[in-house]
Amino acid sequence: MVIRVSEIPEEGLTFEGPEACPEPFQDHDWRLEHLELGVDKDGDVVFVHGRVRSRVPQVCSRCLEPYEATVDAAVETRLVPSPAGRGEEHELGRDDLETDVYDHDQIDLDALIETETTLGLPMKPLCREGCKGLCPTCGANRNAVPCACAPAADPRWSPLKGLADRLSK
């Protein structure tokens, strides 16, 4: 959904419910569950604020099982018109790091929703907090089946293996 900045009324815009943005994600497996956004403008500066909750398919980084992650993201975005001289270098100020830009009097709300959802995804996805992962010896999923393999020794400790015996002599 594209919003024209010049057409934002003085009282602002409100978007509620997933039906307000029916397909905000490029990946159709991602699902928007809750949307509550307000769009306000002060001159050329546009403020988007609210909450977005989405369900995103993930693969657990420990056991490699698929699961759905719920992303509940607070949206607080400040957008300004894209500067005309992009080739020029200038030092960013503190406010510039929290500011996004829009081009041609348009804001792509779908892109904003997808960005906020992506930023809310975990860096190391886990199906659950206590995921036991895969056995490094036989490859079994330790969450599903008990594994009888002996714990794997860390090869980095092998130089110290006989140290205790040598020190006790």
Side-chain angles (χ1 to χ4, degrees):
M1 169 187 291
V2 176
I3 300 171
R4 296 193 70 75
V5 174
S6 58
E7 295 175 3
I8 297 174
E10 191 172 306
E11 65 274 6
L13 297 169
T14 303
F15 299 93
E16 291 187 11
E19 60 279 352
C21 290
E23 292 189 37
F25 304 117
Q26 292 180 27
D27 186 337
H28 297 294
D29 290 335
W30 292 26
R31 290 191 324 270
L32 181 62
E33 288 190 333
H34 177 77
L35 176 69
E36 185 180 314
L37 291 179
V39 179
D40 299 306
K41 135 177 132 164
D42 183 12
D44 285 349
V45 180
V46 178
F47 301 94
V48 181
H49 50 86
R51 296 203 73 74
V52 173
R53 186 175 62 242
S54 306
R55 301 213 23 107
V56 180
Q58 296 281 285
V59 174
C60 181
S61 62
R62 288 186 188 160
C63 68
L64 304 178
E65 291 293 322
Y67 76 101
E68 277 195 338
T70 300
V71 176
D72 192 7
V75 178
E76 290 293 331
T77 304
R78 177 177 179 258
L79 298 115
V80 297
S82 178
R86 282 195 170 187
E88 301 174 12
E89 286 188 25
H90 67 282
E91 188 172 333
L92 294 176
R94 184 176 198 88
D95 290 339
D96 293 332
L97 298 175
E98 298 173 3
T99 303
D100 205 349
V101 296
Y102 62 87
D103 289 316
H104 310 295
D105 192 47
Q106 297 179 348
I107 296 173
D108 186 352
L109 204 56
D110 291 343
L112 178 67
I113 292 169
E114 186 164 15
T115 299
E116 292 296 331
T117 300
T118 301
L119 290 172
L121 288 171
M123 291 180 72
K124 184 176 181 179
L126 293 176
C127 60
R128 60 181 171 264
E129 187 69 32
C131 178
K132 297 175 184 176
L134 300 176
C135 172
T137 306
C138 69
N141 182 345
R142 292 179 180 169
N143 299 312
V145 294
C147 180
C149 297
D154 189 339
R156 295 174 292 181
W157 293 104
S158 62
L160 301 176
K161 192 173 186 178
L163 184 61
D165 295 334
R166 287 185 292 217
L167 290 175
S168 64
K169 291 182 183 178

